[in-house]
Amino acid sequence: MAAASDQSNERCHYQEWMHLQEEELSELTQAAAAAAACAANDAELSRLVDKVIRHFEEYTRQRHVMALADVSPYYAPTWCTSLERSVLWIGGCRPSSYIRLIYALCGLDLESHLSDFLTGESSLGQLSPRQLVSVDGLHQRTIREERALSTKLATLQEDLLDNPIAAMVVAGEEGDVEGALDKHGREMAGVMGEADGLRVGTVKEIVRILTPRQAVEFLAAGKKLRLCMREWGKKRDLDHGRLIN
């Protein structure tokens, strides 16, 4: 019964988060339109950006607490579509993908039509040389930190069937395996917590580099892309006869 309750809580938490994404996308889109029409000032835009980031921080804090009790579902969440699960990195988006989104919105990714799809005309196409240098530096640092976390996760995954768990199974000491698995789960939750910290930290650094209007447009584009990925995933699951959660 406890496991069923954990799964239900995890699913509800995610669904509430996705509902919040829809609400925030509407707010951000309206704010971006107001900024383009000179009907919103930087202070108003900054307050909205700060609120969105606070929600992101709170979401990651809450799910870390839940992951400490049951981390495995977060690495292959049944509440996500198959498409969403296929692009997960340690339970979420790669932080570097946020920066690649900026490049696409700036038109620096010449093969991409993402900017037109997500925002149409955008002030992100007007990044200053100083901003571009800052974004590039952040990109390089983020990739290094991603690689370090990927290595850490790989080590933990290898350890799962290595000593002492393998030795316990061979020796018939199944009673001790649960304790070892619990310890391993806490370590996996710790890595996911670090990854979430990198995700939040990267977004914070991005909005620090951008102007308030640019930050609003960036956050709106990211949320639109995230919600579209979910809808595309649902359609593909239906097309292939897979159960939609």
Side-chain angles (χ1 to χ4, degrees), residues 8-126:
S8 176
N9 289 337
E10 292 156 355
R11 186 183 302 278
C12 286
H13 188 227
Y14 177 76
Q15 290 172 342
E16 289 170 359
W17 173 244
M18 294 308 294
H19 180 65
L20 180 60
Q21 300 314 288
E22 295 173 350
E23 293 179 351
E24 290 183 339
L25 174 58
S26 178
E27 285 187 82
L28 289 162
T29 301
Q30 291 175 23
C38 298
N41 60 44
D42 284 355
E44 293 171 321
L45 299 176
S46 293
R47 281 194 292 271
L48 177 56
V49 169
D50 290 344
K51 183 179 76 170
V52 169
I53 292 177
R54 284 198 306 273
H55 288 165
F56 190 15
E57 289 178 306
E58 181 59 26
Y59 170 72
T60 59
R61 279 196 296 267
Q62 290 177 355
R63 82 171 194 156
H64 180 64
V65 171
M66 298 168 74
L68 286 172
D70 184 26
V71 70
S72 297
Y74 288 98
Y75 282 85
T78 57
W79 49 84
C80 290
T81 65
S82 300
L83 177 61
E84 291 171 293
R85 288 195 295 272
S86 72
V87 296
L88 286 180
W89 176 79
I90 314 185
C93 297
R94 281 186 175 273
S96 58
S97 68
Y98 304 147
I99 301 167
R100 289 195 295 273
L101 176 60
I102 291 181
Y103 290 148
L105 294 171
C106 289
L108 296 178
D109 181 356
L110 299 180
E111 300 298 321
S112 174
H113 299 287
L114 194 58
S115 179
D116 292 338
F117 169 70
L118 290 172
T119 62
E121 186 175 347
S122 168
S123 66
L124 280 164
Q126 303 166 12

Side-chain angles (χ1 to χ4, degrees), residues 126-230:
Q126 303 166 12
L127 289 185
S128 69
R130 178 175 295 180
Q131 285 178 309
L132 289 173
V133 169
S134 296
V135 169
D136 182 65
L138 176 61
H139 193 195
Q140 299 306 316
R141 293 194 303 274
T142 302
I143 288 175
R144 286 195 297 270
E145 293 185 55
E146 283 180 355
R147 288 173 178 165
L149 282 174
S150 292
T151 299
K152 192 171 185 178
L153 175 62
T155 299
L156 284 176
Q157 289 172 327
E158 291 166 0
D159 287 347
L160 180 60
L161 295 179
D162 200 352
N163 290 324
I165 293 178
M168 291 176 188
V169 173
V170 171
E173 300 171 354
E174 285 82 359
D176 295 330
V177 171
E178 285 299 323
L181 288 175
D182 287 343
K183 179 177 181 293
H184 180 267
R186 289 191 295 272
E187 292 171 341
M188 293 283 281
V191 172
M192 193 180 79
E194 291 183 63
D196 279 344
L198 182 57
R199 281 184 270 266
V200 172
T202 301
V203 172
K204 283 184 171 182
E205 184 64 16
I206 287 172
V207 301
R208 188 193 66 77
I209 294 169
L210 301 178
T211 67
R213 179 184 171 185
Q214 290 170 337
V216 165
E217 292 176 351
F218 161 73
L219 291 172
K223 290 182 187 298
K224 182 176 181 181
L225 182 58
R226 179 67 187 85
L227 291 166
C228 284
M229 283 287 290
R230 181 153 182 81

